[in-house]
Amino acid sequence: MPLSLAHQSLEELGGHSSVLARQRRDHAELDRLMRHCESTGPSRAERRATFQEIVRLTFSHAFAEETVLWPALRRLVPDGEELTARVEEEHQQINDLVAEILSTEPNGPWPERLVAEAFALIRQDIRDEEDVLLPRLQEALGHDAVRLRRLGSAWESVRRTAPTRPHPAVSRRPPGNALAGVPLSAVDRARDALSPLTGPRGRRLTTALTAAVLAACAVAALRHRRR
Ligand SMILES: [Fe+2]
Ligand SMILES: [Fe+2]
């Protein structure tokens, strides 16, 4: 049974820029943000702002996993299909829950039960990756630091330009997710930058914008399939 990333030194992970070290750093940051959100200290506004940060980090991180890491795992590991199907299912559940949380009234009561459910799933996803999937990927790459760093750079470049919000209707696998990723990322990052895009008017505008982008992606996917 390969050793969990949680119990490996930075050197064993392949160094600072290895995909395994990058994953573990993001997971630790997510854990810190979730604990802050759950603590009694922050005001309502601060809790919401921390939750938005968790959303941005979770979705860009997961999109890059689905685009770069899980296809590699399916190619390299005999039971990769089964392993990645499980985390894709977790990602889908997190997607649906976070979309539900973000659709609640911003000035209404804090959706504690839904947030607790989403955080439990994110923690489960982190454990599955650090204890099972990523050590299997490390093993399949022969613990080769150069290959782990190369994969780290590929994952990081996708993460930097990935969508930052939930899109439950978008495919979890390439090419569907990759085709939708670029335009959705533009919409998400515009929304992140334009914080006044909140409230019912903002949500209507964003829903219309996202629907237009998804329609464009569906057309692009059809063209891609016909080629
Ligand atoms: Fe991860
Ligand atoms: Fe994940």
Side-chain angles (χ1 to χ4, degrees):
M1 179 87 172
L3 190 62
S4 166
L5 300 195
H7 307 303
Q8 296 191 42
S9 67
L10 188 58
E11 200 184 348
E12 285 171 314
L13 295 181
H16 189 77
S17 56
S18 132
V19 68
L20 307 176
R22 289 176 194 268
Q23 277 278 328
R24 197 170 69 177
R25 274 199 298 278
D26 265 16
H27 293 165
E29 175 63 0
L30 272 174
D31 188 54
R32 187 189 70 77
L33 291 167
M34 287 190 289
R35 276 189 285 113
H36 181 66
C37 214
E38 288 164 334
S39 66
T40 48
S43 64
R44 175 198 285 216
E46 202 189 331
R47 203 184 297 281
R48 286 213 176 262
T50 307
F51 186 74
Q52 293 288 357
E53 245 184 279
I54 293 170
V55 170
R56 276 195 289 275
L57 181 55
T58 300
F59 287 96
S60 53
H61 177 107
F63 182 88
E65 285 173 350
E66 291 166 358
T67 311
V68 177
L69 301 190
W70 306 157
L73 200 69
R74 282 193 285 274
R75 273 197 312 276
L76 296 165
V77 172
D79 57 343
E81 175 63 42
E82 201 184 306
L83 288 170
T84 56
R86 181 185 155 93
V87 290
E88 283 166 348
E89 173 62 32
E90 282 166 2
H91 285 185
Q92 185 64 45
Q93 288 174 354
I94 294 168
N95 232 290
D96 296 345
L97 265 172
V98 172
E100 200 181 334
I101 294 166
L102 294 179
S103 72
T104 60
E105 185 47 55
N107 297 320
W110 178 243
E112 201 158 346
R113 188 186 56 79
L114 293 173
V115 171
E117 257 183 82
F119 285 1
L121 277 166
I122 293 173
R123 288 185 168 118
Q124 180 60 53
D125 190 56
I126 290 174
R127 289 280 43 91
D128 285 339
E129 290 173 11
E130 288 202 8
D131 299 345
V132 185
L133 273 80
L134 296 168
R136 293 289 302 280
L137 184 64
Q138 179 183 33
E139 196 177 51
L141 291 171
H143 295 255
D144 182 338
V146 173
R147 293 171 83 191
L148 287 166
R149 285 202 289 269
R150 222 177 273 147
L151 200 54
S153 312
W155 178 72
E156 186 63 40
S157 15
V158 173
R159 190 183 79 120
R160 281 211 195 125
T161 53
T164 56
R165 288 169 183 255
H167 296 288
V170 173
S171 162
R172 308 249 65 85
R173 289 196 176 190
N177 66 348
L179 281 168
V182 175
L184 285 176
S185 170
V187 174
D188 288 352
R189 284 162 196 270
R191 287 184 72 191
D192 292 342
L194 300 167
S195 40
L197 266 184
T198 54
R201 204 172 142 260
R203 279 200 294 276
R204 272 200 304 277
L205 180 59
T206 312
T207 306
L209 200 53
T210 308
V213 168
L214 284 174
C217 292
V219 172
L222 269 177
R223 281 191 187 145
H224 182 84
R225 224 171 282 154
R226 277 191 196 137
R227 252 188 261 144

